[in-house]
Each structure stands twice: as C-alpha cells, then as structure tokens.
Amino acid sequence: MIIRQLQPYDCFRAMALWQEVFQDTQPFAAFYFAHRFTPALSFGAFEEDRIVSMALGRPVTTKNPTYQAVLIAGVCTLPIYRHQGLMSETLSRLVKNAAAHGFDLAILSPAIPDLYAQYGFHPLTYGMEVEETAASQEELQDVMPVRDLGLPFLMYQFLSGSHPFLLQRNKDDFLLTLREYAADQGILLQTKDGYGYIAFLPGASEVEVAECFAVYPKQYRLLLRAAAAYAPSGNVRAILPADCGLQGTIVRPIHALSLKEDVQLERITDANRAFILERY
C-alpha cells in the first residue's frame, strides 16, 4: 500500500472512487473533478494503480474574520479496505501538508461529527435547522426561476457583510458554485421582490437545500416552502443562518481544525455567525 499526495494524472482514478462510494451523478462528478479537484492539497492510498482511500482538499477563504482555509471533502475508503487506518493516514497527511503551506484552518462538513473529533476537529459555526411544508399554488406565484445570476450574487454580497464566516466569493466564484449545483440537477429560485434566493437539489424522496439567503424571515419561509413543493413528501429541511428569524433547532454544521497557534477558534463566541457554504 502506497500513500502519497495526488497528482493531476490521478484525476480519473479519484473520480472513480468518488463515484463508487458516494454514488453522485456523472455530470456532478465530472464538474467537481474538472473545477474543484486540487491535487496539491489531496492525498490517496493506492493498491497498485487503484486509489482505495482518499481525502481531498481545496483552498477557500473565509470572510470576517479572514482565514485561508483548506475545505476537505471526499474523505472515503472502499469497504473492503476500511478499518486499516487509511482514512486516518490520508487525512493526517492532508492536514500536515496544509499547515506546512501556511493555511490557517482545515474545515469540513462531517456526516458523523464524532468521527472527526479524534483528529482535533471541533464545531465552528452555528446554523438554524428549519422545517417547512410545501407552498400553496398561490404562494408559488411569488417565486420565480433565477434568470439573472447577478441578482443572487448581489444578495450574497449584501448579506455577507453581516454574516461572519461566509466564504469570500467574487462573481466568478459565485457563478461557478451555481454551475456546480446545476451539474447536480439543482434548481435555483428567487422571490419576485428580489429579497432572497434558494438553490436546492431534488431527490427521490426529499430535496437537499444547498444554499438559501434572504433579507427577511418572510422570504426565507417562502423559499423553503417553494422548495418543499418539489419534494414527494411535501416537506423540506434546511440549515439557515442562525439569525434567519425562523423557529428551529441550533446545529453546528461546519467543523474546523486550527493549523496555527495564533488562530484560537475557542475564543470565537458569536452565536449568530453563519455557517460556511460549499460542502464539496
């Protein structure tokens, strides 16, 4: 077994492992590895020429405070190679490599939070988990498909001034993220008054809200109810900024590991700080 930093020529082997473990759509996987794959920040375990375990990283920047961070995704191992310490080794090498290159944080959105606590990751940001039911036909008249992608970007810029720990995204970054959602068969809606937008991914039994921002609680609720109309169950669950104004449950969706002594995450106590977007 060889564990090493990935190289550009490992792209298709890494994509094959991603597809085998996560079962994402082919268009999304192709988009991710064309635009997000960063070999210099990623590590894999190889059995001959096959990647059997990996941890992928890519650079992002948080806003207010500004930190250079590595966003970790694609941490996975083929079932027959699990329980051999491969995940621990690939993740450990990724973190050490990021620290050596001067990054402030390593961040991830864990499916099993306790799994990453042993590696030093702790909850960083707060969000409000909210549930809504499908909108009526009358309510749906107040939402529309996004036709001008610049409008959601302006909304994101406006709200990022008051929400710490959003990712810094220029217009090109923002539009690339929307293309990422579209590659995963996502839908993008906005309120007709222009005060909010939502990106969500329809599924066989539910929809997954990837991103939702609005100025007022009324718009948040309308957008969630519009997304729920696409769910066979007629319900939707989403994680919104903690100060969205809707009733829900406080959750900690993003976990982080400090890579520098002067970055002391335990001193950050603002309970209304927003969650970091972009899990992939």
Side-chain angles (χ1 to χ4, degrees):
M1 188 75 66
I2 296 175
I3 298 177
R4 62 167 173 82
Q5 180 180 313
L6 298 185
Q7 301 298 319
Y9 56 75
D10 293 316
C11 176
F12 291 106
R13 285 181 285 191
M15 183 166 63
L17 175 58
W18 181 295
Q19 285 292 84
E20 189 167 349
V21 174
F22 299 118
Q23 299 294 308
D24 278 316
T25 64
Q26 182 62 34
F28 171 77
F31 181 94
Y32 180 90
F33 281 91
H35 298 282
R36 302 298 198 193
F37 181 51
T38 309
L41 295 173
S42 304
F43 284 78
F46 291 77
E47 182 67 51
E48 297 183 348
D49 288 334
R50 187 185 189 189
I51 300 178
V52 300
S53 180
M54 67 182 181
L56 307 181
R58 69 180 179 89
V60 295
T61 303
T62 67
K63 184 172 184 177
N64 189 25
T66 300
Y67 290 130
Q68 301 302 315
V70 171
L71 177 60
I72 299 172
V75 181
C76 61
T77 303
L78 288 176
I80 63 172
Y81 291 94
R82 291 172 184 168
H83 310 296
Q84 299 180 29
L86 298 179
M87 171 186 161
S88 297
E89 187 63 25
T90 55
L91 185 62
S92 175
R93 293 199 187 191
L94 186 160
V95 167
K96 290 178 181 177
N97 180 56
H101 283 82
F103 284 89
D104 300 304
L105 298 175
I107 57 177
L108 48 76
S109 176
I112 307 174
D114 291 345
L115 183 63
Y116 291 91
Q118 62 184 304
Y119 303 109
F121 285 86
H122 299 286
L124 173 65
T125 60
Y126 292 82
M128 182 72 72
E129 187 174 66
V130 177
E131 294 188 47
E132 279 293 346
T133 57
S136 66
Q137 288 300 314
E138 182 179 1
E139 288 176 301
L140 289 176
Q141 295 177 8
D142 293 325
V143 298
M144 59 183 289
V146 172
R147 296 187 176 91
D148 180 359
L149 295 177
L151 292 178
F153 175 64
L154 291 176
M155 175 67 64
Y156 184 86
Q157 280 190 311
F158 172 75
L159 291 173
S160 65
S162 59
H163 288 84
F165 278 105
L166 288 179
L167 296 186
Q168 287 189 10
R169 296 193 289 187
N170 60 32
K171 191 170 185 178
D172 288 342
D173 296 332
F174 188 84
L175 297 182
L176 182 63
T177 301
L178 299 188
R179 286 176 57 196
E180 184 174 12
Y181 299 151
D184 210 14
Q185 303 178 349
I187 294 174
L188 189 63
L189 302 176
Q190 70 177 62
T191 58
K192 284 188 176 179
D193 59 20
Y195 288 144
Y197 72 91
I198 187 171
F200 60 94
L201 314 176
S205 60
E206 58 184 19
V207 299
E208 178 184 352
V209 176
E211 186 167 324
C212 183
F213 280 104
V215 177
Y216 303 112
K218 174 183 176 182
Q219 279 75 24
Y220 272 120
R221 186 168 185 268
L222 175 61
L223 290 166
L224 291 181
R225 287 173 60 79
Y230 288 77
S233 66
N235 295 284
V236 67
R237 179 181 299 175
I239 301 176
L240 304 177
D243 59 354
C244 64
L246 302 183
Q247 295 295 315
T249 303
I250 289 289
V251 294
R252 309 292 294 275
I254 298 294
H255 291 214
L257 172 66
S258 174
L259 303 179
K260 291 182 178 179
E261 290 185 2
D262 59 345
V263 179
Q264 299 182 10
L265 300 178
E266 66 275 7
R267 294 187 177 181
I268 302 171
T269 59
D270 179 8
N272 287 326
R273 62 186 183 272
F275 53 96
I276 296 172
L277 300 176
E278 298 185 35
R279 293 173 302 159
Y280 299 113

